[in-house]
Amino acid sequence: MTLAGMTLDSLEDVARAMVAEGKGILAADESTGTIGKRFASIDVESTEENRRAYRQLLFTTADAEHFISGVILFDETARQSDAGGQSFVDLLSSKGILPGIKVDRGAKPLAGAPGETVTEGLDGLRERLGEYRGMGCRFAKWRAVIDIDEATGKPSDYCLDANAHALARYAALCVEADIVPIVEPEVLMDGPHDIATCDRVTERTLQRVFAALYDQRVPFEQIILKPNMVISGAKCAQQASAEEVADRTVGCFRRTVPAAVPGIVFLSGGQSDVQATANLNAINARFDDLPWQVSFSYGRALQAPALKSWRGAQANVEAAQAAYFQRAKMNGKARTGSWSAAME
Ligand code: 13P
């Protein structure tokens, strides 16, 4: 099977296309609650039509496909169409952009572990994946949320294991359904912890995630990992440089991520848009011998300037598309370590 000239006969083919040279993934899968918060920040009412119009703006941005390999959609968006009546899934596919789907149902309190969460959504997942594959979705996403709080000993091993088990069950079902799973264990950057703490917690998390994937017979060649970078907590007084983020992130992944995994796509997780680009660039500039493609799957860091330009007005669509295109292009450069601050 081909999509805009790409051969996509196997899950390995799809996974490699997701991390094709110079390209990364747009996370546009904000749930109705989350997009409501983003719209509130620009004084736009979160109606179904406004959500559709905003996603249309992103997906019809000319030439974004030079830097964007795939888009993660929320269920509502996967069922919506552009103004001309073409479904977003078909519109993206026609541009050679792979449509993906968020299938988790959010992080919920973990029984017996106050303040910790486990991600839900496994019940009925086989049937939902079957429907999404029939609609044309080629990959999926499931996000586990790991919070650091040194004062209360978070994260517990129990929380890490519960989330790793769920991520692996999800991934195994995706492979069965001919869908590439994006496996996303996010260690949050909220809080005052330092980068060494993030490094240790990210290592513990990834070690358990890959053990669970192995136990549940998920072929590493058929997944994409979506982790946090190893980075200072947002409220830490000592903020690590892009070079230290790069070195610690790569060191952590070398200890935990099998070489068979085709690609690692970072979440931005609250980094500013330019910081997320600079850190990705530093990784690719400092290391040219990594076993995996190292790319991006940013939500906020790709969309924030576009949202600000748009503000819900049709007259601002062109400016918003230019802002989104610029972030996609800058991150495309960071894929090869050829970005510089002067390009901004
Ligand atoms: P951010 O890049 O805004 O963290 O979003 C990426 C994502 O998909 C989180 O699940």
Side-chain angles (χ1 to χ4, degrees):
M1 186 190 299
T2 59
L3 177 70
M6 295 181 286
T7 305
L8 300 172
D9 290 332
S10 66
L11 289 182
E12 284 89 333
D13 289 341
V14 175
R16 278 193 294 266
M18 289 163 69
V19 288
E21 202 180 324
K23 297 187 191 181
I25 295 169
L26 167 65
D29 61 327
E30 298 85 2
S31 63
T32 308
T34 302
I35 198 73
K37 281 186 229 161
R38 306 272 187 271
F39 279 11
S41 75
I42 53 164
D43 278 326
V44 171
E45 196 189 343
S46 183
T47 61
E48 181 175 349
E49 173 50 25
N50 283 344
R51 294 191 292 270
R52 193 204 63 76
Y54 174 62
R55 267 67 181 248
Q56 171 174 286
L57 170 170
L58 295 174
F59 305 160
T60 57
T61 296
D63 297 326
E65 63 271 21
H66 295 313
F67 313 108
I68 299 295
S69 58
V71 175
I72 317 174
L73 304 167
F74 185 59
D75 179 83
E76 176 186 272
T77 316
R79 300 176 193 282
Q80 287 175 325
S81 302
D82 67 12
Q86 185 177 31
S87 77
F88 284 146
V89 169
D90 289 347
L91 169 74
L92 292 168
S93 302
S94 72
K95 289 170 167 267
I97 296 178
L98 294 160
I101 184 83
K102 184 231 295 292
V103 299
D104 70 68
R105 290 193 156 150
K108 303 286 159 59
L110 177 62
E116 297 193 290
T117 62
V118 65
T119 299
E120 295 190 346
L122 290 169
D123 286 359
L125 182 57
R126 174 177 276 127
E127 290 71 29
R128 289 198 288 137
L129 287 169
E131 187 194 3
Y132 290 135
R133 185 66 186 84
M135 288 162 63
C137 296
R138 306 305 302 265
F139 68 93
K141 179 191 115 171
W142 179 290
R143 171 173 175 257
V145 183
I146 309 299
D147 193 19
I148 298 179
D149 181 3
E150 293 179 284
T152 56
K154 288 198 290 187
S156 64
D157 288 346
Y158 164 38
C159 170
L160 295 182
D161 282 336
N163 277 292
H165 191 265
L167 272 168
R169 282 200 59 203
Y170 142 81
L173 284 163
C174 285
V175 168
E176 181 190 87
D178 191 35
I179 286 181
V180 170
I182 292 185
V183 173
E184 180 179 3
E186 175 174 5
V187 177
L188 297 176
M189 62 184 285
D190 302 348
H193 57 269
D194 61 12
I195 190 170
T197 304
C198 178
D199 198 343
R200 279 194 303 277
V201 172
T202 303
E203 178 174 324
R204 280 170 64 208
T205 301
L206 293 175
Q207 191 272 327
R208 283 173 155 79
V209 166
F210 281 98
L213 290 167
Y214 181 82
D215 286 346
Q216 297 191 41
R217 308 174 182 179
V218 177
F220 296 152
E221 292 83 355
Q222 298 179 356
I223 72 163
I224 295 291
L225 177 69
K226 177 165 173 172
N228 52 286
M229 294 179 191
V230 174
I231 196 168
S232 314
K235 292 192 189 124
C236 181
Q238 195 70 40
Q239 290 291 312
S241 65
E243 290 72 27
E244 185 176 4
V245 169
D247 292 355
R248 283 203 181 255
T249 300
V250 168
C252 180
F253 291 178
R254 278 193 166 133
R255 296 190 295 273
T256 51
V257 183
V261 173
I264 294 172
V265 296
F266 291 107
L267 56 93
S268 58
Q271 299 180 54
S272 77
D273 46 359
V274 174
Q275 187 190 8
T277 303
N279 286 338
L280 176 64
N281 187 71
I283 293 171
N284 283 311
R286 290 166 80 79
F287 300 94
D288 57 9
D289 58 343
L290 299 175
W292 340 269
Q293 292 295 312
V294 179
S295 183
F296 59 91
S297 173
Y298 295 154
R300 284 162 285 180
L302 276 170
Q303 296 183 50
L307 260 178
K308 259 191 226 149
S309 304
W310 178 53
R311 296 194 171 278
Q314 182 58 35
N316 298 335
V317 164
E318 230 173 277
Q321 290 185 325
Y324 165 56
F325 182 83
Q326 167 73 0
R327 292 292 6 116
K329 184 175 173 182
M330 293 298 98
N331 286 302
K333 296 266 180 218
R335 280 284 278 111
T336 51
S338 56
W339 172 87
S340 70
M343 294 175 183
E344 297 287 346

